[in-house]
Amino acid sequence: MTSRPRARSLSAAAATLLVLSTTAACSPDAQEDTVDVLTSFYPLQYVAEQVGGEHVNVTNLTPAAADPHSIELSPARVREMGQADLVVYLSGMQPATDEALEAGPPERLLDAAEAAGLEAGPNGAAAAPSGSTALDPHFWQDPTRLADVAQGIATELADADPAHAADYAANADALVAELDALDQDYRDGLARCAGATLVVSHEAFGYLAERYDLVQVGISGIDPEAEPSPARLRAVRSVVQDDDVQTVFFEVITSPKVARALAEDLGIDSAKLDPIEGRSDPNADYMDMMRENLAALEDGLVCEH
């Protein structure tokens, strides 16, 4: 990256300040320069922070508890994206982010869709609305795919900051080990639930369903803001009754009204299942939320005993 040219002349006072500032920066107590990383929503922020550690400064484009699908970017945010050392985003999820990056791409850019090997969304269900082939962006519901993104971020950070490449690689390996352990917990916890029907507010759990052999049925499709049609509600009602479903899962960022109303009308339970698109609780990170989801699934799914 080319540094900005110095001003042609400095006053004596300014020059003195410059010398003092430079001396302070080189002192043992001075804060080490960090790599500026900008991520488009929470799961990517989590991975960048874990892999980068003390060597990075991570900024998230999506505010806490906000729906990342529909964010709008201020001109200042767009400029920030172009100036970041690394931007980690997910193509196809946030139109505003895609447009900004196309207009002013940063020096280093990692598309999590490529790193995680995304394809036209797995719905895990024959009952998916209209047989949609829209890209399912919610890959982080499968910890093994998030592990692939961790390795991709480590590679990009090493390129931006070769002096700490070993740290990035070690941090990524540690995170991958944690994600592998989380995956094993899910495999163990849901082993007796193979083939169980998972009824959710919107189809944010296709990768989870695919990984752990569940059948996802969404009241709405990929878009959480889409209102389900009366025909769709009738279809979901039929699935619930035919499969003896005992729980309808609602979310935290989008309104739970439809899911709760359906559960109440059918006389069954409703429970929270977090798509982890954002972070609504500052005291809970990705791992915490995934483990809360696992507990909710173990309690709410109809599984063999």
Side-chain angles (χ1 to χ4, degrees), residues 47-118:
V47 177
E49 289 173 341
Q50 297 300 307
V51 174
E54 63 183 357
H55 306 307
V56 302
N57 174 43
V58 181
T59 302
N60 186 13
L61 285 176
T62 304
D67 178 6
H69 293 273
S70 56
I71 64 165
E72 297 182 1
L73 301 176
S74 67
R77 278 297 200 195
V78 173
R79 287 194 299 272
E80 200 175 339
M81 292 174 71
Q83 296 168 356
D85 296 312
L86 170 63
V87 172
V88 185
Y89 81 118
L90 180 59
S91 60
M93 182 171 180
Q94 299 166 302
T97 301
D98 291 345
E99 292 171 8
L101 291 170
E102 185 175 350
E107 183 175 359
R108 294 176 187 85
L109 182 64
L110 178 65
D111 184 354
E114 297 178 3
L118 269 62

Side-chain angles (χ1 to χ4, degrees), residues 246-248 257-271:
Q246 296 300 309
T247 305
V248 173
K257 289 182 179 179
V258 174
R260 282 176 161 167
L262 178 63
E264 183 176 353
D265 185 48
L266 290 168
I268 62 176
D269 294 331
S270 61

